[in-house]
Amino acid sequence: MASLIAENFKFVSLFFKSKDVMIFNGLIALGTVASQEVYSVFAFSCPCSPERNYLYGLTAIGVPALAVFLIGVMLNRNTWKLVFECRTRGCRSLSSTAGFALLGSIVGRAMVAPFTWTVISLLRGEPYVCALSEFVDSTSLDSFPGGHGAGTLARFPCKDVPAEVESFKEEIVRRLKYESQLLGWLLVGLAAITIFLLMCLKRCCSPLGNHQEAYWSQYRSSENDLFQRTAEVHAKLLAATNVKQFFGFVALDKEEREQVKEFAVEDATPSLQWNKITGVYLYRENKGVPLYSRLHKWAKDMIDANLDTNGK
C-alpha cells in the first residue's frame, strides 16, 4: 500500500513542477485577456430586450470559455497519451489515483484560458449587467416610478432608457457591476487557495527530493527536445531514401547531403517500438535506478536484453 501511494504521488508531482508549464500558462492568460479586451470593444452588444439579455450575457461569458477549454484539452499532449493508453492497454497500468491525477492535470491546464476569460468578463461587468439588469428589484430603488417592468429594466445597459427612469441607470449599473466584480474577485481568491493547497499537498507527500524532481523535469524536457529534432531528421532521411529509390536521385541541399552521409537510415521504426514508448508513464525504478520515461525504460530493457544475450 505504501509503495502504491508513493508511486502515485511521484506521478502527481510531475504536473506541478515545470517552470515551462507556468510560463506557458501565463502566456495563455495574457492572450485571453487581450482577446477579452478586443471582444468587449468590437463585438459585445447587449440586445436590451427581456429574456434575450439573460441568454446573451451568459452566452458571452460561457460559450467562449467552453470553446477555449476544449481547445486547451485538444492541444494538451497528455490528452492523446491517455487516449492511446486506454485504447491500446485498457488503462491497466493506471491506478485510480494516477488516472485522476492525469485527468486533473489535463483539465487544470485547459482551465487557465476559460478561467481567465470568465474572471475578466466579471471584472469588466458588461456581460453581467446585460444578463441581470431585467431582474433588478425595482422596489429596492427609492422613488422608482411604477409601471416600469422587466422591459424597461432590460434597456438600462443601453442608451435608449426612458427619460423618467434615466436617473436610476447609474445606480443600477453600479450595483450590478459591484456584484459582478465581487464574484470575479471571489473566483480569483478561490483559485489561489486551491493552487496553494495543491502545491502544499504535492510538497508534503512527494517522495522525491527537490533536486531529483528538478532533474526529472530537465530530463523530460531534454528528451522531448532531442526526440523531436532527431525524429525530424530521421523522417527527412527516410523520405530521401524512398524518393531516391523511386526517381533514382533526390534533390538535397548541402546540409541534407551531409546528414545523409553521416546518418544511415535503412527502414522505418517498427510500430511495436513506437507503441512501447507511447502512452502514459508512471515513475518507476529498476533495482534502485530511476526510469524517467517510457523511452528511458525501453532503452534500459534493450541494454539488459543485449547483456543477457552476450552473457549466454
Side-chain angles (χ1 to χ4, degrees), residues 72 77 80 109-110 114 162 287 308:
R77 287 180 297 180
W80 308 116
R109 287 282 298 276
K287 298 178 181 178
D308 292 341

Side-chain angles (χ1 to χ4, degrees), residues 30-52:
L30 289 175
T32 306
V33 171
S35 301
Q36 169 63 231
E37 291 294 327
V38 172
Y39 172 77
S40 297
V41 173
F42 296 104
F44 185 82
S45 178
C46 186
C48 298
S49 173
E51 297 182 0
R52 294 180 182 177

Side-chain angles (χ1 to χ4, degrees), residues 60-90:
I61 297 175
V63 172
L66 176 61
V68 294
F69 172 76
L70 294 177
I71 292 173
V73 171
M74 289 186 292
L75 294 180
N76 193 323
R77 287 180 297 180
N78 287 327
T79 301
W80 308 116
K81 287 183 179 180
L82 181 60
V83 171
F84 179 86
E85 186 74 23
C86 294
R87 180 174 62 86
T88 58
R89 304 182 183 97

